[in-house]
Amino acid sequence: MAYFANVSAVAYEGSASRNPFAFRHYNPQEVVAGKTMEEHFRFAVAYWHTFVGNGSDPFGAGTMQRGWDRYSGLDLAKARVEANFEFLEKLGLPFFCFHDRDIAPEGDTLQETNKNLDTIVAMIKEYMQSSGKKLLWNTANMFTNPRFLHGAATTCSADVYAYAAAQVKKGLEVGKELGAENYVFWGGREGYETLLNTDLLRELDNLAHMFHMAVDYAKEIGFDAQFLIEPKPKEPTKHQYDFDAATTISFLQTYGLKDHFKLNLEANHATLAGHTFEHDMRVARIQGMLGSLDANQGDMLLGWDTDEFPTNLYDTTLTMYEVLQNGGIGRGGINFDAKVRRASFEPDDLFLAHIAGIDAYAKGLKVAAKLIEDRVFEDFIANRYRSFDEGIGLEISSGRATLRSLEQYALQNNPIKLESGRQERLKALLNQYLLGE
Ligand code: XUL
Ligand code: CO
């Protein structure tokens, strides 16, 4: 069954192409900065937005036209699997990502739910084997079902906590069965609304217990995926515990978990936290914690997670700059955690949206590689901090200076000379590279 009969294989046609169903910048085999684009990006499709999302919002019903919607129950789940592999094949992308509840419906009991999951996982495994497509990561949805209204690993109910633990256990088994490269924890309802009913310390302790149990179990069953935590500052809860990269790293360090996790950073989550994406990436990178990326963009005028497809070249360039400086994305990848707008309801829009995002990233990679090759920012930055490479500055950076020695220096060093930070000049240079001048 073809769910996307209108579209055949999407190919690279170069920037002169006027074919909307072609890549103009993403050329999988083209080598940039020593690696093919395919190796740089490890692009993934997000199952939830592309095959499950129906376009509903708080003001209106679903709008999406999807060939699989004529089915229900397990038949619907199977149809979505077929659609997923057809979509990956036609776009030429290597990976997909899912939540347990995206791929199979819940039953009346946990036993029944797990049975449904097993049926679909077996089908996915067969499709993976015949297509060569891979699972970038899987995760457990512990936020949609009403049982999680107080949270999952941070709930006030031990019964709900145990249920969540059972779900994580099953998620790890599914990840192992399908050879997932990573396993993600996004704490959908791990946060709180008011301190008037919240034992903050107990919730954080319990969250850490859950992560430790997951690390132990993965080891026990030989599931060697990279573990990732995905920070987000708010939505659905007011105060999400994994607020941003810095908060999450500090939590992991406090609870002895830092060696077992990296971060899955998402553009629109960083901006909701009041940061740029590149800020959160830099914070993670300097700590060796940059694991994987959820690619999307928010709207400057809106205060929530709009999950738009990433098309802003300025942002994709600075994102790929961080990835390149990180030496690549490792076992992670770039997952389009993005959804078409409610009015972009035709199946073709799913292709057009992914093509827009993929090409924006490909262009960003090329510009970032050139910026790094020419050492545009590196040389400027090295020069800006050169006072710490010799004399009194070297005393400071090597840790030999004391308040006494610095006072002695300051007393006879008058006047202090300063230099411009040249921010506007640097932004103009970035524009020149973006415009290929
Ligand atoms: C929610 C979000 C999730 C995670 C996986 O904002 O980004 O879809 O990526 O649970
Ligand atoms: Co995400």
Side-chain angles (χ1 to χ4, degrees), residues 83 88 98-99 108 116 164 198 241 244 251 274 346 349 355 369 422:
L88 289 176
F98 62 74
H99 301 84
D108 290 334
N116 290 346
T198 300
Y241 291 128
D244 61 1
F251 167 86
E346 296 172 16
D349 289 304
I355 291 168
R422 296 270 191 267

Side-chain angles (χ1 to χ4, degrees), residues 241-437:
Y241 291 128
D242 300 325
F243 188 93
D244 61 1
T247 313
T248 306
I249 291 170
S250 153
F251 167 86
L252 290 170
Q253 193 134 35
T254 303
Y255 286 99
L257 286 158
K258 194 168 169 225
D259 292 344
H260 303 290
F261 285 83
K262 286 193 178 179
L263 303 183
N264 181 41
L265 297 176
E266 177 164 328
N268 204 171
H269 294 181
T271 49
L272 281 177
H275 304 309
T276 59
F277 195 22
E278 59 269 22
H279 165 91
D280 249 24
M281 291 177 72
R282 182 73 62 94
V283 168
R285 175 160 82 76
I286 62 174
Q287 299 243 23
M289 295 291 281
L290 186 54
S292 199
L293 300 179
D294 271 9
N296 59 20
Q297 70 188 24
D299 188 315
M300 217 172 45
L301 306 180
L302 302 175
W304 63 93
D305 196 13
T306 59
D307 282 343
E308 294 169 31
F309 275 84
T311 51
N312 185 321
L313 296 178
Y314 206 91
D315 292 343
T316 58
T317 298
L318 294 177
T319 299
M320 290 316 296
Y321 179 86
E322 293 302 322
V323 170
L324 289 175
Q325 297 287 30
N326 193 55
I329 199 68
R331 292 190 76 181
I334 295 187
N335 167 47
F336 286 102
D337 193 351
K339 59 183 176 211
V340 288
R341 298 304 87 189
R342 189 166 181 267
S344 304
F345 54 84
E346 296 172 16
D348 286 2
D349 289 304
L350 291 175
F351 282 91
L352 298 171
H354 281 85
I355 291 168
I358 290 165
D359 263 349
Y361 263 83
K363 178 71 184 168
L365 168 69
K366 287 189 265 187
V367 178
K370 188 88 181 88
L371 283 164
I372 292 170
E373 189 188 319
D374 293 352
R375 297 189 54 83
V376 174
F377 303 128
E378 289 68 32
D379 283 346
F380 184 88
I381 291 171
N383 186 53
R384 184 163 181 243
Y385 291 89
R386 70 185 184 283
S387 70
F388 287 96
D389 293 336
E390 57 186 17
I392 193 70
L394 189 56
E395 294 287 304
I396 295 169
S397 40
S398 63
R400 285 195 299 268
T402 63
L403 291 184
R404 213 182 289 282
S405 71
L406 293 177
E407 181 199 43
Q408 208 174 27
Y409 179 86
L411 284 170
Q412 45 78 34
N413 183 42
N414 189 30
I416 292 174
K417 286 198 240 31
L418 290 172
E419 290 170 7
S420 166
R422 296 270 191 267
Q423 206 178 126
E424 297 78 4
R425 169 68 189 139
L426 293 168
K427 286 183 178 171
L429 268 173
L430 176 52
N431 282 347
Q432 279 172 32
Y433 275 77
L434 266 163
L435 294 168
E437 290 168 348

Side-chain angles (χ1 to χ4, degrees), residues 59-288:
F59 303 93
T63 57
M64 297 300 157
Q65 290 175 354
R66 302 291 183 246
W68 48 88
D69 276 347
R70 77 182 82 118
Y71 301 106
S72 63
L74 271 177
D75 289 339
L76 171 59
K78 289 175 185 171
R80 283 175 171 147
V81 173
E82 290 173 6
N84 173 57
F85 285 94
E86 183 188 342
F87 192 72
L88 289 176
E89 196 59 49
K90 288 186 167 170
L91 260 184
L93 299 191
F95 289 104
F96 62 112
C97 299
F98 62 74
H99 301 84
D100 47 5
R101 303 304 175 242
D102 302 333
I103 60 166
E106 289 197 70
D108 290 334
T109 61
L110 184 55
Q111 285 83 340
E112 223 178 278
T113 300
N114 285 347
K115 202 164 147 255
N116 290 346
L117 204 50
D118 289 340
T119 303
I120 301 301
V121 166
M123 179 178 176
I124 289 180
K125 192 173 180 179
E126 274 179 31
Y127 270 80
M128 286 174 72
Q129 276 162 354
S130 58
S131 66
K133 302 297 177 193
K134 289 179 283 183
L135 184 58
L136 184 64
W137 51 261
N138 64 312
T139 184
N141 174 335
M142 306 194 294
F143 43 89
T144 300
N145 191 293
R147 79 174 60 85
F148 298 118
L149 57 87
H150 293 301
T154 61
T155 173
C156 52
S157 157
D159 288 354
V160 172
Y161 189 99
Y163 194 103
Q167 217 178 306
V168 169
K169 175 175 175 287
K170 184 72 182 170
L172 297 173
E173 291 161 3
V174 166
K176 178 173 182 217
E177 177 70 10
L178 297 180
E181 300 266 338
N182 305 270
Y183 186 85
V184 165
F185 294 86
W186 171 60
R189 296 198 187 268
E190 315 298 19
Y192 73 91
E193 299 295 328
T194 173
L195 286 175
L196 300 181
N197 68 9
T198 300
D199 183 341
L200 194 76
L201 182 58
R202 187 192 287 269
E203 293 203 358
L204 290 171
D205 285 351
N206 282 349
L207 182 59
H209 286 316
M210 184 71 81
F211 290 142
H212 274 293
M213 287 189 287
V215 168
D216 291 347
Y217 189 66
K219 198 164 162 203
E220 187 186 322
I221 64 173
F223 178 36
D224 74 343
Q226 172 172 267
F227 271 25
L228 301 169
I229 294 188
E230 184 175 323
K232 184 174 183 181
K234 54 189 167 191
E235 203 200 5
T237 77
K238 185 158 56 178
H239 301 274
Q240 295 272 137
Y241 291 128
D242 300 325
F243 188 93
D244 61 1
T247 313
T248 306
I249 291 170
S250 153
F251 167 86
L252 290 170
Q253 193 134 35
T254 303
Y255 286 99
L257 286 158
K258 194 168 169 225
D259 292 344
H260 303 290
F261 285 83
K262 286 193 178 179
L263 303 183
N264 181 41
L265 297 176
E266 177 164 328
N268 204 171
H269 294 181
T271 49
L272 281 177
H275 304 309
T276 59
F277 195 22
E278 59 269 22
H279 165 91
D280 249 24
M281 291 177 72
R282 182 73 62 94
V283 168
R285 175 160 82 76
I286 62 174
Q287 299 243 23

Side-chain angles (χ1 to χ4, degrees), residues 17-45:
S17 171
R18 291 291 169 263
N19 174 7
F21 291 94
F23 297 119
R24 301 175 69 245
H25 296 285
Y26 179 61
N27 182 4
Q29 300 316 321
E30 183 179 331
V31 174
V32 178
K35 277 198 291 194
T36 64
M37 287 202 188
E38 195 168 28
E39 289 165 339
H40 275 291
F41 291 122
R42 297 164 59 82
F43 281 128
V45 168

